[in-house]
Amino acid sequence: MGRTETELVALHARHLSSGRGRLAAMFGGVVEESARGAEIIATDGRNYLNCGGYGVFFVGGGHPRVVAAVRGQAGRLALSTRLFLDPVSGLAAEALTGVAPAGLDRVHFSGSGTEAVEAAVKLARAHGRRRLISMRDGYHGKTLGALSLTAKALYQDPFRPLLPDVQHVPFGDTDALAAVLGDCGADACVVVEPVQSEAGVIVPRPGYLAAVAALCREHRAFLVVDEVMTGLGRLGSWWGCAAEGVRPDVLVTGKALSGGVMPVAATLATQEVFEPFDSDPFLHTSTYSGAPIAMAAVSATIGVIRDEGLVERAAAIGARLLPALRAVAADRAPGLVREIRGAGLLIGIELVDAGAAGEFLLEMVDRGVVVNHSLNAHPVVRLTPPAVLSPAQEARLLEAVEGALNAIAKSLT
């Protein structure tokens, strides 16, 4: 590259975001150079265990099968004219609907999760569902429509007015949802996550999602399940909604769909719900929707998840990590950690306050492990390791957590 880490951080601060540059400096000015499996290599040669990445690296970084598919497609047809059909988008749709809840047979591909949510909102509008209901502290993206659903004033206030007729109810509270739906919810669209990730990994009681689906059926409301973070195995099941026997009108997914290689997301719907997009192919379009190079990544990624048993591996690794993390916290820092919760490989560590969470992030990076903060719950640090984590890497993660908690507890005393 010919630039030092300091120069690269300065470039970000000068041309991209001064705030991002300050944040990078806080974490030691580390610059990522390459990724392989569960590990990241920095330009200074240091190795980091990747338990962050906001859920993107479910199959690990640089998976050979995904990389080979993308490289091969790039050499043939990376982008298409959009006038003719390409040979890979139909195959990607077939692969995705093949693992989706039964009946979700139509797909619109996009470049990000927030775009997938926008498509879901537009489908709801096309069916007369102009009243939107989402859950407090939920996260659905930051484009204006999706931001209207993301119930956090910190991100909404600078951009008001947002979409009208949006209401937020407490996550897990079906009585509150029923009250907002009213006698007839035929004008309503309910948007919900199986587990609230950015809210600090809030896992609802068993049966909650099924109860939401039942309310939507009873009140004739439209149901959108946002599985951008939770789908494709992250929770130890292919889909959080399928684990409760729920088939929504629309399901949105992303993150893991990329294979850690190509930005891509998708909006899946039943044939009936998708009809407005079916009848007019120009009603909702994007130049890069279904780009062949991204579609190659989708097909390869789904194949990797299926063939390598990564859904089952996520469940097994999570079943080991969660109690082990709780034991470490109880032993080393009982007054520092409020709770550790999660499902599969989506795990939240809630510390006593946001300051302690920030210190924990820094300590983990010092110990060579990347984790993430939670956008809607600043005291919560999230772990989203890949399902290819080895036993030695599990041990490395636990050792880092123990060391980080020890260091913070010592500094406080």
Side-chain angles (χ1 to χ4, degrees), residues 13-271:
R14 186 181 310 129
H15 297 298
L16 296 170
S17 165
S18 58
R20 183 69 179 83
R22 289 193 299 272
L23 188 63
M26 183 188 305
F27 285 100
V30 177
V31 178
E32 297 177 29
E33 184 173 62
S34 61
R36 191 72 169 180
E39 297 182 346
I40 299 166
I41 308 300
T43 52
D44 62 3
R46 189 174 180 188
N47 174 295
Y48 292 85
L49 183 62
N50 186 7
C51 295
Y54 297 96
V56 166
F57 298 99
F58 184 69
V59 305
H63 193 289
R65 189 164 158 187
V66 182
V67 170
V70 169
R71 281 179 174 163
Q73 190 62 44
R76 291 188 297 272
L77 182 71
L79 303 177
S80 64
T81 65
R82 305 310 304 271
L83 179 64
F84 304 134
L85 296 179
D86 68 79
V88 288
S89 56
L91 295 174
E94 180 183 52
L96 181 55
T97 57
V99 297
L104 297 178
D105 297 324
R106 293 288 195 273
V107 186
H108 175 79
F109 287 107
S110 53
S112 65
T114 191
E115 292 175 71
V117 171
E118 294 284 348
V121 170
K122 289 179 75 173
L123 279 172
R125 284 284 186 91
H127 286 275
R129 268 59 174 197
R130 299 188 174 273
R131 189 159 57 100
L132 300 174
I133 303 168
S134 65
M135 310 304 151
R136 290 179 191 166
D137 295 321
Y139 187 88
H140 305 285
K142 289 177 179 169
T143 51
L144 283 178
L147 182 59
S148 303
L149 297 167
T150 296
K152 190 72 171 178
L154 176 67
Y155 309 119
Q156 290 183 329
D157 286 350
F159 307 106
R160 295 187 188 279
L162 301 172
L163 290 183
D165 303 322
V166 181
Q167 296 169 282
H168 308 298
V169 299
F171 184 65
D173 189 338
T174 50
D175 290 339
L177 177 59
V180 168
L181 284 171
D183 293 335
C184 179
D187 64 340
C189 170
V190 175
V191 184
V192 62
E193 301 160 271
V195 173
Q196 286 192 315
S197 178
E198 295 289 359
V201 189
I202 306 302
V203 182
R205 69 182 185 277
Y208 167 67
L209 200 61
V212 169
L215 278 173
C216 288
R217 286 194 303 272
E218 178 186 346
H219 294 266
R220 297 194 295 148
F222 202 88
L223 176 62
V224 175
V225 175
D226 184 340
E227 298 232 29
V228 169
M229 173 64 81
T230 58
L232 294 166
R234 174 61 63 185
L235 300 182
S237 57
W238 273 100
W239 308 98
C241 62
E244 291 214 356
V246 170
R247 190 205 71 184
D249 297 294
V250 177
L251 182 148
V252 294
T253 186
K255 304 289 189 188
L257 191 63
S258 68
V261 175
M262 287 298 302
V264 65
T267 306
L268 294 91
T270 64
Q271 182 173 347

